[in-house]
Amino acid sequence: MFLQLDRVIHEKGRMAIMSLLGANAALSFTEIRDMLQLTDGNLTTHIKKLQQAGYVGVTKTFSKKRPLTTCSLTKEGRKAFEDYLGLLEKIVAESRAGD
C-alpha cells in the first residue's frame, strides 16, 4: 500500500499545504507561509509542484494596490487528497490490526 501513496502530496511541506487548503476554501500565500513557517522560496516551489499536478489553483489579484496571491484546492486536488487520506487510514488500520 505504501507504494500507492501519492508522491506529490506525501512530502511533508506539500501535505501540510494540502491539509490547510482542504480545511479552507482559499488562503493567501502569506497566510500559508506564516502558518507553516516556510520561506517564500520553499513555499513557491511546493505550490508550483502542486499546481503542475493540477491539485492547487493559484489566483493573482490586487488588494489595496498590492499583489495578492490566493491558493485553493482544485476539484482534482480535493479528490487526490481525500484518496491520499483514505489510503493512510487503511495503512494505520492494518498496522493496528497487527497489535
Side-chain angles (χ1 to χ4, degrees):
M1 273 195 284
F2 288 102
L3 297 176
Q4 296 171 352
L5 287 170
D6 187 326
R7 293 173 117 335
V8 173
I9 297 173
H10 194 64
E11 196 285 327
K12 72 177 182 174
R14 291 191 292 270
M15 184 169 51
I17 293 166
M18 295 291 285
S19 295
L20 283 177
L21 294 177
N24 296 277
L27 290 171
S28 72
F29 181 91
T30 54
E31 288 173 318
I32 298 169
R33 180 197 65 203
D34 294 347
M35 283 189 243
L36 299 179
Q37 299 180 352
L38 295 171
T39 65
D40 287 356
N42 198 320
L43 180 56
T44 297
T45 301
H46 288 311
I47 289 175
K48 281 184 183 178
K49 183 82 169 177
L50 292 167
Q51 196 175 16
Q52 289 170 347
Y55 294 168
V56 171
V58 176
T59 305
K60 294 183 182 268
T61 59
F62 284 88
S63 176
K64 300 178 186 176
K65 298 184 181 182
R66 299 193 70 200
L68 176 66
T69 301
T70 305
C71 302
S72 59
L73 288 183
T74 62
K75 186 177 181 178
E76 296 81 13
R78 187 162 301 281
K79 168 95 171 76
F81 192 56
E82 288 171 2
D83 291 348
Y84 175 83
L85 292 177
L87 185 55
L88 282 180
E89 288 171 352
K90 286 180 185 177
I91 291 169
V92 169
E94 282 192 14
S95 70
R96 286 191 174 146
D99 288 345

